[in-house]
Structures are given as C-alpha cells and as structure tokens.
Amino acid sequence: MKLIGLSLKGLRRDLRAADVRALFVALMLAVAATTMIGFFLDRLDRGLTRQAGQLLGGDLVLEQGRPFDGELRQALRDAGLRLSDQVDLVSMVSQADAFQPAGLKVVDDHYPLYGRVRVDRGNGIEALDHGPRPGHAWIAPRLAQLLDVKLGDSVQVGTLALTISGLIDREPDQQAGFAGLTPRIMLNLADLDATGLVRPGSRIEYELLAAGPSAAVDSLSGRLDELRDAGVEVRDVRVDRPSLGRSLERAQKYLSLAGLAAVLLAGVAVAMATRRYVDRHLDTAALLRCFGASQRQLGQLFAWQLGWLGLAAAVIGALLGLAGQAALLALLVRFLPLELPPPGWLPWLMGILTALAVLIGFAGPTLLRLRRVSALKVLRRELDPIPVAGWLVVAVASLVFGALLWLYSGDALLSLGTLLGGLVALVVLWGVGQLLLSLLLGVLARLPQGNGGHAWRLGGRQLARRRQASLGQLLAFAVTFAAMAIIVLVRGDLLTTWQAQLPANTPNYFAINIQPQERDGVETLIEEAADSASGLYPMVRGRLTAIDGRPPSEMVPEEHRNDGALRRDLNLTWRGSLPQGNRITAGEWFGAGASQTIDGAVPISVEEELADRLGLSLGDRLTFTIGSDTVTGEITSLRHLDWESFQPNFFIIFPPGALEGFGHSYITSFHLPDASNAMLGEMVRQYPGVSILNVEALLEQVRGILGQVTRAVEFVLGFVLLAGVSVLYAALTASRPARAHEGALLRVFGAGDRMLSRMQWAEFALLGFASGLLGAVLAELAAVGIYAWLGLTPRLHWLLWATMPPVGALAIGIIGFTLSRGTRRQAPMASLRLLGET
Amino acid sequence: MSHSSENQQARILHASGLGKRVKNGERELVILEALSLHVDRGESVAIVGSSGAGKSTLLGLLAGLDMPSSGELEMFGQSLRALDEDGRAALRAGRVGFVFQNFQLLPTLTAMENVMLPLELSPRQDVTAKSRQWLERVGLGGRLDHLPKQLSGGEQQRVAVARAFVTEPDLVFADEPTGNLDETTGKRIIDLLFELNREAGTTLVLVTHDLALARRCDRCLQLEGGALHAIERRTGVGV
C-alpha cells in the first residue's frame, strides 16, 4: 500500500516532466482513437443489424409452403422470441372490369415486429405500428393507379370484398429485390380464409417471423438445423442480413486500420518517451537503492507509477473517444438513415486494455532497466545499467502489437503476416537507414565551404556522432510518417472509389417486365427523359436443374445445398459484349459469334461468387429448365461484378442466339432527375404491364452511409495525425538533454546563437528529410498489402515520393527547432549543470 | 586493533583484509588492498586522500553500495558478504544517510519532497512533519516548495544534509560534502553537519581531500597506495 501511495505521489511530482506528459498524451490519443472508432463501429454495426432485422421482418424468419404447427410456435416463444405470422401469395385483384395481379401480404395483429408502416389513410402519411384491420386492405399507389381506385373504394380479393383504407408509402420489411414485383396489397390474416384463395395446390408461402435477443436464436440452433433439413427456409438476421456491401466493409476496415495506426504511433511515442523517462529516473532509482529500496520495490514503484498514468490516460482517452463519436454522430445525424443504439461497454474495456497493452509492450522492457540500477551510481555517475537490447524492445512491442492486431481484426493469420512483414521491413529499413545516413553525410562533406554549408555539415556530423540514437529516431519517424501517409493515401483512394461508384447519374429506377414488342417504345421514352440508362437486357427465367448431368443437390458443397440459387428461378440473359462494370476473373469471354455449341452445350459466363458457393469451375456444364425445355451451357468464363452499381446484374450470361426462342422480357435501369417524373405516369399509361421500381431510397441510404462514413474517416484521420505529432514530440523531448549538452559545449567553445540555430535546424531537417524518404518507401510497400486487403486497386504514389522528404524535413525541423529553443537560450552553465557535469 | 572486543552494539562498521581490484582489459588494477578499519557508534572518521586514491571506491564499499573483491565487511554487526544487493539495501533502509558532493537532489522534486523521499520508503506516518522539521533545522523553513534549480549550491547541500538526517540514521556517509561549494558556504555546511551529528549522536564517515575539514573529525585516516594510515589521533582510536 505504501508503494502505491508513493507511486501516486511520484507521478504527481513527475507531471512536471516533458516525457511524462508525452507518455500521457500518446496513450490518451491511442485510447481516444480506438475507443472513438470502437464506439462508432459498434453502434453502426448494431444499428445495421437492427435495420436488417427490420428489412427482414424479424431476427429470425421461417418460411414454408404450409402453415406452421403450434408446437414450433411454443418452442420459439419458450426461447424468448416474439412471433408474427405472415402469408404471401400472388393473386388477381379486381375492381369493376379492371383485373390486376397483385402480391398479397397477409399480416396478423403483431405485424410489424420491427419498424413502422408508412401509410396514407387520407390524412397524409402516417407511421403506424400495425397492419390493416379485418375487412380493410392497404394497397400500393401503383395498384390504385392500375385499378383506378381511391381510398374508400372497395376491391375484390378472391371471393372477398375489402375496403381500401390506406395507400402504402413504405413497408418496414420491404426488401429491395425483384421477388415481389407485383404491386402490393396488404390485408389482415383474419380475412384470409374468407377470400377462398387457400386451396390445395395454391402457391402460398407461410412465414413465421420471430424477434428477440440473439442468445434466444442461438439456443434454437439445433432445432433450426432440423427445420432446414425438413425443407423449411430459415433466415437468421446475422447470417442473411442484406449487406450494404463492400463500401461499408471497406470503411469499417479503414477505420480499424486507422485505429491501429494510431495505436502503433502512440506505441512508438511511448517507447521513445519511456527511454527518456528511464534515463531521468536512473538517479532516483539509484538514490532509492541507497536509501534501502529493494529491486522488487523499485520495479513495483515505477510499474505502479506508469500504471496510474496509463489508467488516467485510458479513462480520459475513452471519455474523449466517447465525446468524439458523439460529436461525430451529432454532426451526421441528418445523414443517418439509421437509428443507432446507445454506446456499448465493450469499447471502454478495449480502450483500457489497449492503453495497458501499449504500456506493457512498448514501455515494459525499457522500464526493466530501472530495476537494475546499482546504488553505486550515486557515487559514480557513469555507472548506468546497460540499456535493454534493442531487439528485445522491438520483439516485445511487436508481440503486443500483433496481439492487439489479432484482437481488433479477429484474423490470426493476417496479424501474424502483418507482424512478420513489419519485422522484416524494420530490419531492411535499419540497413537502408544506415546507408541513407552515410550517403547524406557524404553529400554534406562535399558542400562548398561557407557559412550555410558549414552549419549543414555540423548538423550532419551531430547526427553521425549519435549514430545509433539517430538511426532509432530515423526509424521511428519513418514508421510515423509511413503510418500517417498510408492513412491519408487510403482515405483519398477510398473516397475517390466511392465517388466513382455512385456518380450523380447512378440509376435510381428499374423498369422490368418490358415485353419484346414494347421494347422500342420504352427505350424511346427513357432516352427522352433519363440522363443515363443501362440499356435493355433480355431476361429469361430458368431453374438450374443439373450440374454435369447430375442433380445440383449431389454436386454442390453440403453447406450450400439450401442456396437460394437452387430453390428459385434464376434470371438469365444473353449478350455479345461484356456488360459494363463486369470483369472476367477466369477463362475467356465468348467472342462474337460464339453461339456454336461445344458438344451440344453453349458457352456461358457465371458470376464468380455464385460459382464459388456452388463449387462450380470452368468446364462444368449447367443445365437450366426453362418452361418445359432445357438448355445446357458450359462455363467458359467467371465474372466479377459490382452489386452496388445499380445496374442490371446477371449471375448467368449466355451468348446471343441461345435463348431468343424462349419467352423473355427486358429489364433496364436509368437515372431520372426529379423534374421528369411525369414520364413515369406516361410509361404506366402506355405500358401498364411494365413494372417500375424506385431505388432512390436505397440509393440515398447507401449514399448517406457512405457520406457518414466519409466524415468518420476524416475525423479519424485527424486523430492519427495528432498521434503522429505526439511521436515527434516524444522523440524530440527524449533527445533534448543530449542536444542541450552539445549546444552548451559549442557555446562554451564560442558558437553564437545564429550558428547554433542554423546547426540545429540543419540537423532536424536532415533527420526529417531522411525519415520522409524512408517513410515513403515503407508506405508504398505497406500500401500494396493494405490496398489488396481493402479491395482497392494498387497504384504508385508519385506525389508521396515527391512530398514526404521535404514535408518530413519541415515538420521535424519546425517541431525540433521550437522544442530546442529553450536550450539555446539557456546559459551554457545551466545546460551543463542539467547533466550534473559541474 | 584496540576494538576487537566485547561490545558488538558499539561497532558500526568493521572491515578486515578489504580489497578491490578491477579488470582493465588484460590488466588487473588494484584499487584497495588488505585494508582494515572499524568505526564505533558515535565516532566521526575522516578518510583523506588525493584524487584517484580510491576514496569514493572505499566509501561505496563501506556503505554496501559495492562489493569488495576480497576481505570481510560488517555493518551493524551483519556481514555484508552474506547479503545480496537487496539484502544490503534492506540493511541500509532508515539506518544510513548520505551526503554527496554533487548533492544528488532530484530536479523535479521540491526541497520538501527530496527530504521526504527516504522516509517514504519506510512505514512511517509523520513523513511531512518530520521533513519540515529537518528543513527548518537546516534553515530552509521558508524554501520548502522550491525546486533544486531555484536554490543556491549551499542551499541544495543543506537540503541534502536534512535528507541525510531525516530518518535519524545510525550512520551518515559524506562524500566530499564541500567539494562543489565555495569556502564560506562549505564551512557553514560542515558546521551544520558536525552540529547535527553531535546532537543526534550519529556516526559519521566522511571522505574528503580537505585536510582542514578532516581534522575536525575524531579520527583522520589517509588512503594511500590502496591502504589506510592514521595521520592524527585525537581520541586514542587506531587503525
């Protein structure tokens, strides 16, 4: 207890020291950055899961062709889930002479489990937490238009007449897809029997929606597997959540990367500040040994002292992080398409863990030196304990950083790879650094005599004299600059990629069900009003019924036998040229005139992820059943396509000539500026069979999230830059006494302030220049791996090579020069006394 | 060796056949050889010698800060050879005080905090009161919160003296206590040192090259050629 009190007192006294402040700031920044990112990602992730649950209709959705039994319901309720029943079917609805196929969504009184239905019941759009009452129907405005009905009219569904009491603006569980393309009519489950639509042979999907904690869903995993085996379609929100795709995944990866960069930078700062801290406390330790303290007591004393510092930095850092993410979200609230849950506890824990890990990893080995101080040092100053071996410091720090990498990424292999790569890079850099220093000094030696050249030469010689220390600083600064540069580079490329991905004229409407005879008319309408269009793609629906002549269920890997692509009809198209945005990843695109068959099969191109899931490769033969016919294709290419492009995308593409004989319709996507909405009415009037899908909302959502994440990225970038500056500060603080000493000696020998200033400036600038150059090498090397990880296209960054050395020279020059101002002003006597040499 | 006798309690330091050699490349350098000494409770002993005679080495050995190459050494009746570094530290704790030539004050600690340091290692409650009391004794009652750099050399050494006596030690070692001070200030410090020593009944072992200062001790020994010789006897104590 005594030691704990003493350590606290010691720390309080120590707060006057620059190195302790540098340690504190570095740790605080590391924790602030990681917790801010942690809080943000945690909330975003939970928000997205919640939103996904809403889109799916529940956390767990079961679907089959017959009603669910009571025993299953009870089991789900017992597990702690709330339930809601829903029935989906397609049927004709009519009003007077008008008939129209509509998608019936029959809901019970518990609907919706998540979110609200936006409906216009005659008083503008309201958000309601229930569906239509018995005897009532809510319909999509398009259906109202097609049937020419309005609120209060009646509509015939099967044998039942229902009153139209609402126009649906948005359903909470509306999935963006092409499954429910028929316009919506929503009615109450109590009315279902009276419609007479439930007959043997009707195609009806019964859905059981369940909402509740994920632990409840987990507890049912055995039961869910049995259901899957029995042919029930089971959707778990955590597995089947409709993802916002790679953009968000990239952003999350980027933020984690930035957080880790901040941790690494803070670690470097901590390592440098600790060296100075230990140097400064050698006398204290020796004195305490003199006064009778044991090694153990000394070790504990300093460990406690830094432990308190770490804890304080962690708490303040975590609060900063919390405030940071709150500020971030406050700024972004209007861009948020999500309702975010409150901050969780995990980021707090991770923040404190990070601070302690950084402290142990980056300061621990150096701190051991204090334990080994001999009491005799009080009589003989030169008796400093041997510094801890550089390799040990680097090894322990790397190990801890690797563990943090693992903790944050959850990917052991990636962490190990990064770690080993980093270590190899450090060894190489050490060699390159040596070379670079020698080279610089060689160049300086050839500088012409004269006042300016003299200062540069002297500055260079200073660097050379402390070769090992200079190399250490050089490496630390290079790593710092590289980490900062990577975060800046990746940010730029990420934002460019996003902007390129969703340009202003990204299609916001899809038109489908365009019949061949309507094709030209629709195309003309779109061309006149839209400012961009994807062109029309033919679409044939066919089911995959054989792979290499055998049933798919025998050929597909076991875990994908329930894949949606096997259960439903797939959209097939034909096309002579590779669609825009598609990329061949294996095999070759069939050229023009490739419709010739290869032993009775036509060449086809398959999307790579589908091929991967179904275990398909080049040369496999797929048989599709289209109506009553079959067509067989041989895979001659695999394609990568961008699902977020808002273009019509196809899993399977045939060459022209293979599918034309089958019944087909066309699909297209286009961008319509708001003002041209009249065209939609025109289209519906002229071509009532064509379905128009508005994806503006989805597009806005993706844009909103990207915008939000962009700001997060920029915010975090700021933190990383701050962490970088803290490294520079810590490093230069650490070397200040030695520089002060040299300065004082030179002053004693007659160097003037002007000379000293120039010399120090030269020394820092040289160090910065070399670090910048080395940092550019490191950043470019690391970028190759990081870009691959993020799925960005690697490129050479010329600007980096041009700017890093001069920026490094300027940054280190300014900070170092400013920090040494005090020592230049000090009388030589004071500087020398500082080192106990008088 | 008139003190080979009875009263173990009275014997503070006892050294016999003490030697210190250091390796310098291939050569072995003999700093101290077969040196014997004992110091009784309440005595003040000065060790004088020219620069490089090994005074500081001897002081380090006597205080248990370093280990001899040969010979035996006892402090407070306990053989130092039988103890490891931590054991020797524990033996010093609270019982040995130090005054150094370069003061050895910690620059980030105030005068008060510097004096408190040795007390804080022991389980005492009266750390603050005791430290203030000793700083007042050395005439620095008004400078408690000053940092070393805000104090003159003489004032700094007075803080060091207060720190040496604050634990009420049995034994105080002083290594060239006036080495960094001008003559007048040095004299004041020495007066203070002897005054406190007398009042507290502390044993004082002082290393100096200043003969005038040495003569104020009960005994004065010269270190030369690695061995000790008595240069003056005032109280009948011998080498």
Side-chain angles (χ1 to χ4, degrees), chain A residues 607-769:
Chain A
E607 190 266 335
E608 61 172 358
E609 280 177 30
L610 177 76
D612 191 44
R613 286 207 310 275
L614 302 186
L616 303 175
S617 51
L618 294 177
D620 285 352
R621 293 189 160 213
L622 309 184
T623 303
F624 296 91
T625 301
I626 304 169
S628 55
D629 293 320
T630 61
V631 58
T632 300
E634 180 173 317
I635 304 176
T636 56
S637 68
L638 298 179
R639 271 172 306 124
H640 172 83
L641 52 82
D642 185 1
W643 289 108
E644 297 155 44
S645 65
F646 289 80
Q647 305 278 342
N649 277 321
F650 290 90
F651 282 129
I652 317 276
I653 302 180
F654 281 73
L659 299 177
E660 279 87 336
F662 298 102
H664 58 269
S665 62
Y666 287 85
I667 176 173
T668 187
S669 66
F670 52 93
H671 180 260
L672 212 53
D674 279 343
S676 312
N677 270 352
M679 173 269 209
L680 293 175
E682 186 64 25
M683 177 108 80
V684 171
R685 219 170 14 257
Q686 281 189 35
Y687 307 102
V690 174
S691 301
I692 295 172
L693 218 69
N694 183 351
V695 290
E696 183 74 44
L698 193 68
L699 188 62
E700 272 315 300
Q701 175 175 331
V702 174
R703 279 215 178 99
I705 289 186
L706 289 189
Q708 164 191 345
V709 169
T710 301
R711 279 163 189 84
V713 161
E714 281 168 353
F715 205 67
V716 166
L717 175 73
F719 259 83
V720 172
L721 295 182
L722 268 180
V725 173
S726 85
V727 175
L728 306 184
Y729 178 72
L732 296 171
T733 301
S735 66
R736 195 155 66 162
R739 286 180 212 282
H741 184 212
E742 283 164 2
L745 279 179
L746 287 170
R747 288 279 285 279
V748 170
F749 300 150
D753 187 46
R754 210 172 131 84
M755 181 68 209
L756 268 183
S757 296
R758 279 187 175 177
M759 198 189 77
Q760 281 181 348
W761 172 253
E763 183 187 348
F764 288 124
L766 282 175
L767 187 62
F769 187 86

Side-chain angles (χ1 to χ4, degrees), chain A residues 576-596:
Chain A
S577 58
L578 187 66
Q580 198 191 341
N582 284 213
R583 185 161 47 85
I584 297 293
T585 55
E588 276 179 37
W589 179 253
F590 37 75
S595 58
Q596 288 98 334

